[in-house]
PDB file of all heavy atoms in Angstrom:
ATOM      1  N   TYR L 638       1.961   4.004  10.281  1.00  0.00           N
ATOM      2  CA  TYR L 638       0.537   4.174   9.982  1.00  0.00           C
ATOM      3  C   TYR L 638       0.047   3.050   9.071  1.00  0.00           C
ATOM      4  O   TYR L 638      -0.969   2.412   9.335  1.00  0.00           O
ATOM      5  CB  TYR L 638       0.327   5.540   9.328  1.00  0.00           C
ATOM      6  CG  TYR L 638      -1.068   5.814   8.834  1.00  0.00           C
ATOM      7  CD1 TYR L 638      -2.027   6.343   9.672  1.00  0.00           C
ATOM      8  CD2 TYR L 638      -1.419   5.559   7.509  1.00  0.00           C
ATOM      9  CE1 TYR L 638      -3.303   6.602   9.220  1.00  0.00           C
ATOM     10  CE2 TYR L 638      -2.682   5.820   7.041  1.00  0.00           C
ATOM     11  CZ  TYR L 638      -3.624   6.332   7.895  1.00  0.00           C
ATOM     12  OH  TYR L 638      -4.892   6.588   7.450  1.00  0.00           O
ATOM     13  N   LEU L 639       0.781   2.819   7.985  1.00  0.00           N
ATOM     14  CA  LEU L 639       0.362   1.802   7.019  1.00  0.00           C
ATOM     15  C   LEU L 639       0.379   0.398   7.630  1.00  0.00           C
ATOM     16  O   LEU L 639      -0.519  -0.401   7.352  1.00  0.00           O
ATOM     17  CB  LEU L 639       1.242   1.851   5.773  1.00  0.00           C
ATOM     18  CG  LEU L 639       1.054   3.097   4.901  1.00  0.00           C
ATOM     19  CD1 LEU L 639       2.052   3.094   3.754  1.00  0.00           C
ATOM     20  CD2 LEU L 639      -0.368   3.200   4.378  1.00  0.00           C
ATOM     21  N   ARG L 640       1.365   0.078   8.468  1.00  0.00           N
ATOM     22  CA  ARG L 640       1.400  -1.237   9.115  1.00  0.00           C
ATOM     23  C   ARG L 640       0.158  -1.463   9.968  1.00  0.00           C
ATOM     24  O   ARG L 640      -0.455  -2.526   9.924  1.00  0.00           O
ATOM     25  CB  ARG L 640       2.656  -1.394   9.970  1.00  0.00           C
ATOM     26  CG  ARG L 640       3.876  -1.766   9.154  1.00  0.00           C
ATOM     27  CD  ARG L 640       5.069  -2.077  10.040  1.00  0.00           C
ATOM     28  NE  ARG L 640       5.518  -0.806  10.624  1.00  0.00           N
ATOM     29  CZ  ARG L 640       6.074  -0.674  11.813  1.00  0.00           C
ATOM     30  NH1 ARG L 640       6.276  -1.718  12.570  1.00  0.00           N
ATOM     31  NH2 ARG L 640       6.453   0.504  12.255  1.00  0.00           N
ATOM     32  N   ARG L 641      -0.222  -0.453  10.748  1.00  0.00           N
ATOM     33  CA  ARG L 641      -1.418  -0.576  11.592  1.00  0.00           C
ATOM     34  C   ARG L 641      -2.659  -0.801  10.744  1.00  0.00           C
ATOM     35  O   ARG L 641      -3.472  -1.686  11.014  1.00  0.00           O
ATOM     36  CB  ARG L 641      -1.613   0.686  12.446  1.00  0.00           C
ATOM     37  CG  ARG L 641      -0.728   0.786  13.644  1.00  0.00           C
ATOM     38  CD  ARG L 641      -1.175   1.897  14.593  1.00  0.00           C
ATOM     39  NE  ARG L 641      -1.416   3.179  13.958  1.00  0.00           N
ATOM     40  CZ  ARG L 641      -0.503   4.108  13.731  1.00  0.00           C
ATOM     41  NH1 ARG L 641       0.749   3.876  14.070  1.00  0.00           N
ATOM     42  NH2 ARG L 641      -0.811   5.248  13.172  1.00  0.00           N
ATOM     43  N   TYR L 642      -2.838   0.027   9.722  1.00  0.00           N
ATOM     44  CA  TYR L 642      -4.056  -0.058   8.924  1.00  0.00           C
ATOM     45  C   TYR L 642      -4.100  -1.306   8.047  1.00  0.00           C
ATOM     46  O   TYR L 642      -5.164  -1.887   7.861  1.00  0.00           O
ATOM     47  CB  TYR L 642      -4.248   1.223   8.110  1.00  0.00           C
ATOM     48  CG  TYR L 642      -4.812   2.299   8.993  1.00  0.00           C
ATOM     49  CD1 TYR L 642      -3.982   3.089   9.775  1.00  0.00           C
ATOM     50  CD2 TYR L 642      -6.171   2.485   9.113  1.00  0.00           C
ATOM     51  CE1 TYR L 642      -4.481   4.050  10.624  1.00  0.00           C
ATOM     52  CE2 TYR L 642      -6.702   3.442   9.959  1.00  0.00           C
ATOM     53  CZ  TYR L 642      -5.846   4.217  10.719  1.00  0.00           C
ATOM     54  OH  TYR L 642      -6.357   5.153  11.570  1.00  0.00           O
ATOM     55  N   ILE L 643      -2.992  -1.752   7.537  1.00  0.00           N
ATOM     56  CA  ILE L 643      -2.968  -2.985   6.740  1.00  0.00           C
ATOM     57  C   ILE L 643      -3.306  -4.179   7.626  1.00  0.00           C
ATOM     58  O   ILE L 643      -4.101  -5.042   7.244  1.00  0.00           O
ATOM     59  CB  ILE L 643      -1.608  -3.153   6.030  1.00  0.00           C
ATOM     60  CG1 ILE L 643      -1.480  -2.123   4.906  1.00  0.00           C
ATOM     61  CG2 ILE L 643      -1.461  -4.567   5.474  1.00  0.00           C
ATOM     62  CD1 ILE L 643      -0.090  -2.042   4.288  1.00  0.00           C
ATOM     63  N   ALA L 644      -2.732  -4.234   8.832  1.00  0.00           N
ATOM     64  CA  ALA L 644      -3.035  -5.339   9.751  1.00  0.00           C
ATOM     65  C   ALA L 644      -4.524  -5.345  10.102  1.00  0.00           C
ATOM     66  O   ALA L 644      -5.170  -6.405  10.108  1.00  0.00           O
ATOM     67  CB  ALA L 644      -2.187  -5.231  11.017  1.00  0.00           C
TER      68      ALA L 644
END
Side-chain angles (χ1 to χ4, degrees):
Y638 174 87
L639 291 176
R640 279 187 289 148
R641 282 192 311 273
Y642 281 85
I643 289 170

